Amino acid sequence: MLARVEGEGALELSIKDGKIEKLHLRIFEPPRLFEKLLEGRPYTDVIDIVARICGICPVAYQMSAAHAIDSIFGVNVNPWVRTMRRLMYCGEWIESHALHIHLLAAPDYFGFENVVAMAKQYPDEVRRGLLLQSLGNRLLRLLGGRSVHPVGVCVGGFYSAPSVDAVKTLLKEFKQALPMAEQLVRWTAAFNLPDDQQLFTSVALCHPHEYPMNEGRIVSSSGLDIAINEYQNYFTETHVPHSTALYSHFNGQPYLVGPLARLNLNLGKLPSGVRQLITESGIAFPSNNMFHSVIARAVEIYYAFVESIRIMEQYTLPAASCMDFSPKAGVGYGCTEAPRGILWHRYELDEKGDVVKATIIPPTSQNQARIEQDLQTSLMSFGLDHGDDELRLRCETVIRNYDPCISCATHFLKLRVDRS
Amino acid sequence: MSHSFYYMARDQLQALINELRARGYQCIGPQVRDGAIVYDSLADCTQLPRGISEHQSPGRYVLSENNSQRYFSWANGPQAIKPYVFAPRESLWRCEKDNTGQLRFTDLKPAPGPVAIIGVRACDLAALYIQDKHFLQEEKKDPYYLARRQKLFLVAVNCTHAADTCFCASTGDGPRASYGYDIVLSELDDGFLAHGLSDKGLELIKQLSTSPPTETQLQQADEEIQHAARRQTRRLPSRNLKQALFNNLEHPRWEEVAKRCLACGNCTSVCPTCFCHAEDEEPALDGSGSEYFRQWDSCFTQGHSYIHGITIRSTTAQRYRQWLTHKLGSWHDQYGRSGCVGCGRCITWCPVGIDITEEAAAICGENIDA
Amino acid sequence: MPNPYLPYEAKIIERIQESPTLFTLRLRFTDPVIHKDFRFEPGQFNMLYLYGVGEVPISIVSDPQDEHMLDHTIRTVGRVTRGLAALKEGDRIGVRGPFGRGWPLAHAEQHDVVVVTGGLGCAPVVSVIHYMMRRRERFGLINIVQGVKHSSDFIWKERYDQWRKAPDTEVLVAADAGESLWPWHVGPVTGLFDDLKFDKDRVIIMMCGPEGMMRVVVKYMLAQGVDESAIWLSMERDMHCGIGHCGHCQYGGKFVCRDGPVFCYKEIVDLFGVKGF
Amino acid sequence: MKPKIAVHKFASCDGCQLAFLNAGEDLLTLAGMVDIIHFTEAGPIDEETEVDIAFVEGSITTPADCNRIQRIRKNSRYLLTIGACATAGGLQALRNFANAKEWVASVYAAPEYIQSLATSTPIREHVKVDLELWGCPVSAKQVLRAVHDLLFGVTPKVELDKVCMECKRQRHVCVMVSKNIPCMGPVTRTGCGAICPQVGRGCYACFGPAENSNTGAMGVWLQGLGLMPEAIAKRFLFINSEAPEFRAAGTQWKSK
Ligand SMILES: Cc1cc2nc3c(=O)[nH]c(=O)nc-3n(C[C@H](O)[C@H](O)[C@H](O)COP(=O)(O)OP(=O)(O)OC[C@H]3O[C@@H](n4cnc5c(N)ncnc54)[C@H](O)[C@@H]3O)c2cc1C
Ligand code: SF4
Ligand code: SF4
Ligand code: SF4
């Protein structure tokens, strides 16, 4: 889980005779042991606890947990709740993707140390990014009171419904900002990105009618199509000595989750307007260029704007913002599309609704193995004879492209190259 | 008095609202939100809590439905008119600093439009009278309060229902509204008796379709108000409690109540007469400007009695004692009466149900009626 | 009607460091009309606003008839005062006032006067001493008793020396702790009282300082047969608005900012010394 | 010369750092006013240069971090903690009440690889802290105000009052009185804007204890609302379990 993933990164690289002999991405994030501290806590606490696994995508954690617990209690949410969960997810995608694009990715591609330096030369682009990010946060606040660790979500729905006026006000701003989200897609599509075609398996949720967020089956580009509760039959998590992150494999192989995988597998679910924009931007999806992830994020921001506007335009007050239910013992699964990819939860509750056991598999740990694999390939095609600094920058760029929760740390990727 | 009452059918309430709106008033009225009857913008009578009653006890407030067609068959909710005159938070002024270091102050005094509040109770009118005395003293009038106060039009409603926590009869402030309003209504089964006190109020009533009330109607209205008074079980002695309280500053009850009291400030926030506030400001990050504001404070906070290095009232016992001795005691020195109007809000909305009448009685002991 | 909450801009004309932690700001309102019309009595205070930080009540120490000066002597203790201490000549602050009730100077005329200050309390009474010295003939015997924590807290030595030279004027100084060359009394200020000369029936006591000290002085004076109504003291409580609205400075039924800060002991006798008020 | 600032991260969720990254225009303003020396999430990395203000997010949970915080303290003129992790050990401090070794063993297949302390402790237990900002997460407003004050040479103001005060200023209906919902507002420090009562739920104390918190009376009232002692203990032992007041109250209810 993320708690075991994010944090300082270091890369150990042994190069022998022009070949990579060993490549280890080390993760030092101090373990926070969330799965254990969940044990014995009432189901009501779960939503608030799991949010704290990640401050950047707390809603994803809340959503996966809410769905898992809903399923144990046999809660069928009403259409209002279902739609509002989607709306809230839109907020998180916008916030998280905008943060990634502007604070982490763009400075890389434009050759700036960081966003602050970049803002001096590209003030409009950076401001646009900050504005989009802030609108994502506003949406989170609308439904959750605040954008980090929002407090509105509960098992069965929401503690309360936002007022029609509040929705209207925000809707107006979303409509005004829509053209900016569109510009963002065109802007990222024009980035001078490396052409780095790779073979990888994409894994994402797939829903019959909509671009996946909260619901769907787990599918892969290699033909997998399973219910979320079957996940552990196909995917395995292993612990390697060099990292506090657990590594996930699908059929023993690394795989990709996240915006690029999502887009590759769900293009057809996008509204035609969004597809049109993709076509106009000149990038062909599905894409095997890992660096197209950044464009996929921009596309998802744009889509989240379109979707939020659609939802907010139809907003009415619900009869109930939360379903009635009574706690039951059982096992439940939740899997939703966090900004960084599928986030899988499994809970076992007792008859009071207290947690007996929790398992949380975040996207970043699912991408770990894939990142190492990518680094291997990318470095070989980049050329190992580059100096350490150049190698490090390249590695950072590759890693950052996955928007892992260690992204922060990979800004100072400690690279240990052993060129014996 | 009877000659000045007008009878109006129930539908005339909407007509009254319409008349007010036509005169540019923003109407505020009671309505159900989050499990309580609160004041909010009102355009239509259907928003009113028709057929709703409320049950109050220390630390508890529950709504229930009744079969009545009445709009006002409940006693007061968590807020009075206080927030509409003394805002929970408001900016006072802005200061800008230019690059020569010059400061420019801008007054942020509000310029509100006219506001009509419908459903005001006797206790709240009494409280408003007290707040007027506080904020609008001779010399230094509070311009922020004044700006709103001048724009108020008050439609009072005589209480026909008292909550278990009400004790306005013992403070002499209710349940009949006797001053401070523009129009007062007495609700009957099929309509209202209306009385206009101000010229504006009278003029408005004349726009409605009214008829002279019958003797029975007048009697019934009166009887219902008296019934509400009789129903009240709690009371404060009507005499000045100041001496009794200040004679008992070392009473063990202060420590005892402090064990239960959360010092959370809810009592002072819901109290319609409490006026304490704190000032603070919000500077722009780069120092280019700063907005100076005030917000409700409470004698239960640490900051209320802080002077450098010393908190004069660091314990809950001292804070509770400050509140009670002020409210029921030294208030007499300041405003010639007690600061309590018997609305009972501090009893209901104390999260742990501390009862001002019970504490006052315990502390004043047998002196209470002496 | 002017908004009593709105400060006026004032410029620091001079900044005087009186001691390591005490400094005086000499102010002038930038609007000359405001400056000209500004009237106050010794013992009154202003709310000084430090831009972006906050407002604090500070006594006015200059002479009310000296139009050129508007002086505030400030001790650096916390957030705002530390910020004020960092200001220089030419810097601007906000000022509104004057607020409160000052010393009973008209009443004190033809009386003996004992001025007692202690701890950091000297500032609010300095103006009153100045006032009397300038109009020395109107008053009877004047005793000035000053207690400080440490001898290094003692400021304005020259002024004290000056005052001592005035006719019928006694200046007594004590420090709780002193350096070896400290010429005055070492020990609590109350140790000086027996040296005081005044006519108990026609004396006015004015004091300012820590409440503990004031309590002792009150007790002493009452024991000497001084009447309650002849004892005046300046109180300090938290203040935000300065005009009796915010409620912080309540002292029983009084608002210190409006009914004080200078009180006749008789007015507050019931609560004076009771902890928690 | 511009003041230098640093933002450091220990065991945490990164949520408090977002107070900066979500600040929008203010982030750019800040960048113009100071030199950001170290802030991994925003780019700059340099733990060695001395800074004027260091913000610390996260709790101490590993031997390496014990040393790192000492280094950071040495390099920082003014050190302030942001958030529940840094100020009160955070949610992960719940391990302090359990057998952390067992926990590690049950989460990791090869616990011998995991370098972790048995406890999660607030920064104040390791080095001198000049100012603590509470909250999980801290509010951006609070952080920016503190930054402003420090940059202008003033001691920042901290919130001390209870959530109830803000709850009433926002004119929310008390959930405890009207709905019998347990609410920790009366013992919790304000700063969040009373957002839990706003959405109709009880406060779960993510801003830690307020000044003069009567945890005793709070617990008794919660019991009256129908909570079992164990459940009451969990209310106190949650996000700020290392705050002394909450720790004491929680431990007491746990043993009942
Ligand atoms: C009528 C009156 C006259 C005064 N005259 C002088 C004077 O001439 N010279 C002088 O040095 N000091 C004087 N003081 C005390 C001075 O107001 C405080 O020292 C000052 O407010 C401390 O502010 P701070 O922000 O530096 O301290 P902090 O301890 O950081 O206080 C924070 C806040 O608490 C409040 N506060 C703290 N102490 C006091 C206090 N004693 N009185 C009122 N509010 C307080 C203020 O709002 C202040 O901003 C006077 C106080 C009063 C009431
Ligand atoms: S003290 Fe209590 S009962 Fe009296 S007016 Fe205030 S809130 Fe109402
Ligand atoms: S809802 Fe909670 S925070 Fe609000 S007043 Fe009630 S107890 Fe206090
Ligand atoms: S109300 Fe309480 S739990 Fe909710 S955000 Fe505020 S401090 Fe945190």
Side-chain angles (χ1 to χ4, degrees):
Chain A
M1 57 188 285
L2 222 167
R4 295 173 261 137
V5 174
E6 56 164 34
E8 288 183 55
L11 189 66
E12 273 180 36
L13 190 60
S14 306
I15 301 174
K16 203 169 185 182
D17 308 329
K19 282 216 183 79
I20 297 175
E21 196 189 53
K22 190 176 90 184
L23 186 150
H24 276 163
L25 181 60
R26 295 173 52 110
I27 309 283
F28 308 125
E29 172 66 14
R32 291 197 292 147
L33 310 170
F34 268 78
E35 289 159 333
K36 285 310 279 184
L37 61 85
L38 277 163
E39 289 176 12
R41 303 294 305 199
Y43 68 91
T44 41
D45 286 357
V46 173
I47 312 270
D48 298 322
I49 293 178
V50 295
R52 268 106 184 146
I53 294 172
C54 176
I56 301 169
C57 59
V59 171
Y61 284 86
Q62 296 188 327
M63 289 299 153
S64 287
H67 280 91
I69 300 173
D70 278 358
S71 82
I72 299 176
F73 297 166
V75 179
N76 277 316
V77 300
N78 63 20
W80 184 90
V81 169
R82 188 176 186 281
T83 314
M84 288 305 119
R85 283 177 171 172
R86 198 167 170 79
L87 182 61
M88 197 163 184
Y89 232 131
C90 287
E92 182 152 290
W93 280 14
I94 295 169
E95 168 261 344
S96 173
H97 284 349
L99 185 92
H100 175 82
I101 294 174
H102 298 92
L103 266 64
L104 304 167
D108 268 350
Y109 299 130
F110 284 79
F112 291 101
E113 279 266 297
N114 54 56
V115 64
V116 173
M118 186 170 132
K120 289 190 185 112
Q121 273 190 46
Y122 294 90
D124 296 343
E125 287 79 357
V126 169
R127 287 216 157 79
R128 179 180 66 204
L130 292 175
L131 180 91
L132 295 174
Q133 186 185 336
S134 78
L135 282 171
N137 285 327
R138 290 274 300 282
L139 204 47
L140 293 167
R141 249 177 273 150
L142 177 78
L143 287 150
R146 64 182 170 199
S147 60
V148 182
H149 309 332
V151 301
V153 178
C154 58
V155 173
F158 290 83
Y159 285 101
S160 72
S163 73
V164 173
D165 279 352
V167 174
K168 263 194 202 148
T169 312
L170 198 55
L171 173 62
K172 216 170 111 199
E173 293 187 49
F174 265 65
K175 283 184 168 164
Q176 273 166 7
L178 187 65
M180 293 190 208
E182 188 189 317
Q183 286 160 18
L184 179 69
V185 176
R186 297 186 199 277
W187 183 60
T188 52
F191 281 4
N192 183 15
L193 300 170
D195 182 17
D196 184 17
Q197 302 290 330
Q198 298 190 23
L199 283 177
F200 53 81
T201 309
S202 296
V203 173
L205 286 182
C206 183
H207 184 274
H209 313 301
E210 55 190 22
Y211 199 76
M213 283 185 181
N214 276 305
E215 294 164 21
R217 291 170 66 79
I218 299 172
V219 302
S220 81
S221 50
S222 58
L224 180 81
D225 183 351
I226 57 169
I228 60 167
N229 57 8
E230 296 174 273
Y231 177 88
Q232 284 181 311
N233 301 340
Y234 297 85
F235 296 83
T236 49
E237 243 193 332
T238 48
H239 182 198
V240 295
H242 63 256
S243 174
T244 52
L246 298 188
Y247 278 56
S248 292
H249 287 94
F250 167 45
N251 284 340
Q253 290 298 314
Y255 61 99
L256 177 74
V257 298
L260 185 61
R262 217 151 42 210
L263 194 63
N264 280 348
L265 292 167
N266 290 284
L267 265 177
K269 303 289 162 35
L270 289 170
S272 56
V274 182
R275 284 210 304 269
Q276 173 83 25
L277 179 62
I278 298 177
T279 318
E280 281 172 22
S281 71
I283 307 291
F285 286 101
S287 163
N288 275 334
N289 182 354
M290 263 314 299
F291 287 103
H292 282 165
S293 297
V294 65
I295 307 168
R297 276 185 199 98
V299 169
E300 287 193 338
I301 289 182
Y302 179 67
Y303 169 65
F305 267 87
V306 172
E307 182 70 348
S308 317
I309 290 172
R310 181 188 71 82
I311 293 173
M312 287 194 277
E313 274 177 337
Q314 295 167 8
Y315 185 80
T316 49
L317 286 177
S321 65
C322 182
M323 303 296 106
D324 282 335
F325 57 81
S326 38
K328 287 197 219 8
V331 175
Y333 303 85
C335 183
T336 67
E337 282 286 0
R340 288 160 191 75
I342 56 171
L343 165 58
W344 190 84
H345 289 206
R346 176 189 182 276
Y347 296 94
E348 199 178 320
L349 303 186
D350 67 15
E351 68 288 350
K352 289 194 309 242
D354 290 355
V355 177
V356 177
K357 191 169 168 22
T359 310
I360 296 173
I361 304 177
T364 300
S365 79
Q366 302 184 61
N367 273 338
Q368 280 313 299
R370 171 70 200 122
I371 298 176
E372 282 191 4
Q373 190 188 42
D374 189 345
L375 284 168
Q376 295 256 8
T377 330
S378 301
L379 286 183
M380 287 310 285
S381 66
F382 182 61
L384 295 173
D385 43 357
H386 286 84
D388 283 7
D389 278 351
E390 281 171 286
L391 278 186
R392 194 186 66 240
L393 184 66
R394 183 62 169 207
C395 293
E396 283 184 10
T397 312
V398 167
I399 296 169
R400 204 135 57 224
N401 189 36
Y402 289 79
D403 188 15
C405 296
I406 51 160
S407 53
C408 52
T410 48
H411 269 290
F412 63 107
L413 193 63
K414 289 189 188 110
L415 182 67
R416 273 226 306 273
V417 191
D418 176 9
R419 295 178 197 258
S420 56
Chain B
M1 280 277 281
S2 64
H3 58 277
S4 61
F5 276 97
Y6 297 83
Y7 171 75
M8 60 190 222
R10 194 181 311 283
D11 63 354
Q12 288 303 297
L13 187 60
Q14 184 63 51
L16 175 64
I17 293 171
N18 295 346
E19 285 292 338
L20 283 164
R21 285 163 60 93
R23 283 166 176 70
Y25 283 96
Q26 185 208 347
C27 289
I28 305 283
Q31 42 213 285
V32 173
R33 171 173 51 87
D34 300 334
I37 295 171
V38 300
Y39 285 101
D40 211 333
S41 281
L42 181 80
D44 196 298
C45 275
T46 55
Q47 291 169 272
L48 292 169
R50 178 181 239 177
I52 303 279
S53 11
E54 101 311 348
H55 305 275
Q56 304 188 39
S57 55
R60 201 78 192 95
Y61 178 102
V62 199
L63 293 182
S64 66
E65 292 183 19
N66 58 35
N67 297 323
S68 156
Q69 290 300 302
R70 294 192 181 202
Y71 290 120
F72 300 101
S73 56
W74 40 271
N76 59 39
Q79 29 164 292
I81 30 187
K82 176 164 97 172
Y84 291 101
V85 274
F86 169 35
R89 176 177 287 133
E90 73 177 315
S91 294
L92 302 178
W93 41 263
R94 268 191 70 70
C95 183
E96 258 114 33
K97 188 179 190 169
D98 68 14
N99 43 22
T100 67
Q102 198 174 331
L103 303 181
R104 215 181 58 240
F105 293 93
T106 317
D107 197 343
L108 297 180
K109 197 177 81 176
V115 170
I117 306 185
I118 292 155
V120 177
R121 305 311 177 104
C123 55
D124 294 341
L125 290 170
L128 185 66
Y129 170 79
I130 292 177
Q131 289 227 321
D132 282 354
K133 276 199 156 183
H134 176 73
F135 284 109
L136 307 177
Q137 319 136 12
E138 291 313 309
E139 247 182 289
K140 303 264 182 333
K141 293 201 191 340
D142 185 311
Y144 309 91
Y145 181 95
L146 183 64
R148 290 192 203 86
R149 181 66 181 94
Q150 284 170 331
K151 295 288 185 176
L152 273 196
F153 184 94
L154 299 172
V155 180
V157 173
N158 283 317
C159 281
T160 54
H161 285 71
D164 283 348
T165 43
C166 290
F167 54 100
C168 61
S170 84
T171 64
D173 294 304
R176 185 192 305 276
S178 49
Y179 63 93
Y181 54 81
D182 293 287
I183 294 179
V184 67
L185 303 176
S186 281
E187 192 170 26
L188 301 169
D189 281 334
D190 54 355
F192 299 94
L193 295 185
H195 166 71
L197 191 64
S198 66
D199 294 346
K200 271 190 287 183
L202 264 173
E203 186 269 328
L204 246 162
I205 294 178
K206 300 228 162 99
Q207 306 305 309
L208 308 175
S209 122
T210 59
S211 57
T214 65
E215 203 49 42
T216 332
Q217 283 171 332
L218 287 169
Q219 256 172 27
Q220 194 198 337
D222 209 55
E223 172 49 36
E224 287 194 16
I225 298 170
Q226 285 178 29
H227 175 257
R230 281 195 304 273
R231 243 196 62 92
Q232 297 185 7
T233 50
R234 285 186 162 75
R235 71 192 184 94
L236 278 180
S238 52
R239 70 179 188 80
N240 182 341
L241 280 176
K242 186 184 161 198
Q243 221 42 58
L245 286 167
F246 280 95
N247 284 345
N248 281 296
L249 294 181
E250 302 306 324
H251 199 290
R253 184 76 175 200
W254 300 118
E255 291 297 340
E256 194 280 325
V257 67
K259 289 208 181 78
R260 288 174 282 136
C261 173
L262 300 168
C264 65
N266 265 298
C267 49
T268 59
S269 299
V270 296
C271 177
T273 69
C274 277
F275 50 70
C276 286
H277 56 266
E279 292 175 12
D280 196 358
E281 69 192 303
E282 231 171 315
L285 183 59
D286 62 358
S288 59
S290 190
E291 196 150 312
Y292 204 80
F293 65 92
R294 67 173 173 197
Q295 61 183 10
W296 289 357
D297 195 5
S298 164
C299 50
F300 283 93
T301 68
Q302 187 263 354
H304 192 272
S305 67
Y306 173 77
I307 63 176
H308 180 75
I310 310 166
T311 300
I312 292 186
R313 291 179 283 278
S314 57
T315 68
T316 304
Q318 289 168 337
R319 297 183 197 175
Y320 191 86
R321 189 180 66 177
Q322 165 68 24
W323 182 63
L324 205 71
T325 54
H326 177 226
K327 182 111 317 194
L328 303 179
S330 43
W331 211 287
H332 286 270
D333 296 346
Q334 295 170 341
Y335 305 106
R337 59 156 295 167
S338 148
C340 177
V341 295
C343 72
R345 287 191 175 90
C346 60
I347 305 176
T348 301
W349 298 97
C350 170
V352 291
I354 294 170
D355 180 342
I356 186 174
T357 61
E358 198 178 311
E359 299 311 316
I363 286 155
C364 299
E366 65 280 358
N367 291 335
I368 197 159
D369 287 321
Chain C
M1 192 181 57
N3 180 348
Y5 280 91
L6 197 65
Y8 292 104
E9 188 196 49
K11 199 173 186 166
I12 298 173
I13 302 302
E14 200 183 341
R15 184 192 181 288
I16 307 148
Q17 192 72 41
E18 313 274 6
S19 84
T21 56
L22 265 178
F23 60 99
T24 296
L25 295 182
R26 181 155 291 171
L27 302 173
R28 167 170 282 279
F29 287 102
T30 44
D31 180 338
V33 180
I34 305 256
H35 194 84
K36 203 165 140 282
D37 292 347
F38 190 83
R39 295 273 172 284
F40 67 92
E41 296 163 23
Q44 283 196 299
F45 65 95
N46 278 327
M47 295 299 295
L48 302 192
Y49 169 64
L50 175 62
Y51 175 72
V53 183
E55 262 188 331
V56 288
I58 301 289
S59 308
I60 310 168
V61 295
S62 42
D63 192 287
Q65 262 156 26
D66 190 341
E67 274 181 28
H68 302 292
M69 288 191 221
L70 181 59
D71 291 0
H72 296 81
T73 298
I74 306 167
R75 178 166 296 258
T76 312
V77 293
R79 260 190 108 235
V80 179
T81 49
R82 213 171 294 140
L84 286 170
L87 298 180
K88 319 174 289 301
E89 262 168 46
D91 286 345
R92 326 282 178 108
I93 64 172
V95 178
R96 59 190 179 97
F99 297 128
R101 180 174 68 167
W103 298 103
L105 286 167
H107 178 64
E109 290 190 9
Q110 313 312 326
H111 284 65
D112 290 351
V113 178
V114 179
V115 179
V116 189
T117 84
L120 323 173
C122 53
V125 290
V126 165
S127 59
V128 82
I129 300 173
H130 268 294
Y131 183 95
M132 292 188 294
M133 289 304 166
R134 289 202 173 182
R135 302 157 184 84
R136 186 65 195 85
E137 70 291 350
R138 300 192 203 162
F139 301 89
L141 292 170
I142 295 182
N143 288 276
I144 299 166
V145 187
Q146 158 94 60
V148 289
K149 268 217 181 82
H150 190 272
S151 55
S152 66
D153 289 335
F154 185 60
I155 57 163
W156 295 322
K157 182 175 172 306
E158 316 78 62
R159 295 192 204 178
Y160 278 75
D161 288 341
Q162 194 99 44
W163 295 335
R164 179 171 291 117
K165 289 187 197 124
D168 295 332
T169 305
E170 191 79 63
V171 177
L172 303 165
V173 185
D176 287 349
E179 57 210 59
S180 51
L181 288 178
W182 179 246
W184 292 294
H185 178 80
V186 176
V189 63
T190 43
L192 302 169
F193 286 172
D194 291 333
D195 299 339
L196 294 180
K197 290 192 240 12
F198 57 83
D199 176 351
K200 72 174 171 52
D201 294 321
R202 49 184 295 270
V203 71
I204 296 285
I205 316 288
M206 301 187 205
M207 59 182 152
C208 177
E211 276 174 45
M213 175 212 86
M214 296 202 288
R215 268 203 304 278
V216 176
V217 178
V218 166
K219 207 168 145 201
Y220 177 87
M221 293 298 167
L222 292 177
Q224 300 301 306
V226 176
D227 195 77
E228 279 182 353
S229 60
I231 304 175
W232 295 77
L233 30 84
S234 179
M235 296 291 291
E236 195 173 310
R237 283 295 177 271
D238 190 35
M239 275 174 204
H240 287 207
C241 71
I243 52 176
H245 292 163
C246 79
H248 286 92
C249 70
Q250 288 179 92
Y251 190 58
K254 305 272 188 266
F255 291 93
V256 173
C257 70
R258 191 185 68 199
D259 307 324
V262 174
F263 288 101
C264 177
Y265 175 64
K266 214 172 87 177
E267 299 172 286
I268 56 171
V269 58
D270 290 343
L271 279 186
F272 191 68
V274 180
K275 259 189 95 170
F277 283 94
Chain D
M1 211 179 57
K2 286 197 213 167
K4 295 186 174 70
I5 72 160
V7 182
H8 300 279
K9 177 195 150 69
F10 289 85
S12 67
C13 79
D14 290 16
C16 288
Q17 299 175 55
L18 285 180
F20 294 99
L21 301 183
N22 277 338
E25 214 40 50
D26 275 341
L27 177 62
L28 299 182
T29 308
L30 180 66
M33 296 169 71
V34 301
D35 282 329
I36 303 177
I37 300 297
H38 176 90
F39 188 176
T40 51
E41 211 165 319
I45 287 126
D46 175 359
E47 281 196 347
E48 304 312 322
T49 302
E50 292 194 3
V51 298
D52 296 286
I53 313 169
F55 297 87
V56 178
E57 174 195 88
S59 64
I60 305 296
T61 60
T62 68
D65 282 351
C66 282
N67 297 327
R68 184 157 66 99
I69 189 65
Q70 298 293 344
R71 251 185 8 251
I72 289 172
R73 176 70 262 193
K74 266 203 214 97
N75 290 336
S76 319
R77 204 158 64 87
Y78 200 93
L79 184 150
L80 57 85
T81 60
I82 51 172
C85 298
T87 308
L91 196 44
Q92 60 270 18
L94 285 176
R95 75 167 67 166
N96 303 356
F97 298 84
N99 184 332
K101 237 195 174 137
E102 268 173 28
W103 279 21
V104 171
S106 71
V107 175
Y108 293 97
E112 63 277 16
Y113 304 146
I114 303 296
Q115 288 278 316
S116 176
L117 297 170
T119 53
S120 164
T121 40
I123 302 301
R124 120 176 59 81
E125 288 188 20
H126 299 265
V127 295
K128 175 175 168 276
V129 174
D130 298 300
L131 186 82
E132 295 182 326
L133 294 182
W134 293 75
C136 180
V138 283
S139 80
K141 214 166 135 178
Q142 219 181 336
V143 174
L144 293 176
R145 174 80 191 271
V147 173
H148 166 276
D149 284 1
L150 288 170
L151 292 181
F152 287 83
V154 178
T155 321
K157 259 194 181 169
V158 288
E159 302 267 2
L160 296 168
D161 293 348
K162 282 133 198 164
V163 174
C164 295
M165 287 298 297
E166 187 58 22
C167 184
K168 295 301 88 157
R169 288 182 203 123
Q170 304 280 342
R171 298 165 65 181
H172 302 324
V173 175
C174 177
V175 299
M176 197 134 74
V177 170
S178 71
K179 297 190 190 136
N180 257 347
I181 296 174
C183 179
M184 297 291 277
V187 293
T188 303
R189 190 184 293 256
T190 186
C192 67
I195 54 176
C196 286
Q198 180 193 319
V199 301
R201 65 181 294 191
C203 164
Y204 55 94
C206 79
F207 269 64
E211 66 84 31
N212 190 25
S213 273
N214 192 344
T215 50
M218 186 78 234
V220 171
W221 194 260
L222 292 177
Q223 197 173 29
L225 292 181
L227 260 54
M228 302 303 282
E230 198 198 324
I232 298 169
K234 282 186 182 136
R235 300 262 158 179
F236 289 110
L237 303 180
F238 197 16
I239 291 168
N240 290 287
S241 62
E242 281 300 309
E245 299 91 325
F246 284 0
R247 191 189 168 99
T251 316
Q252 207 183 357
W253 282 99
K254 221 170 149 174
S255 63
K256 275 194 190 166

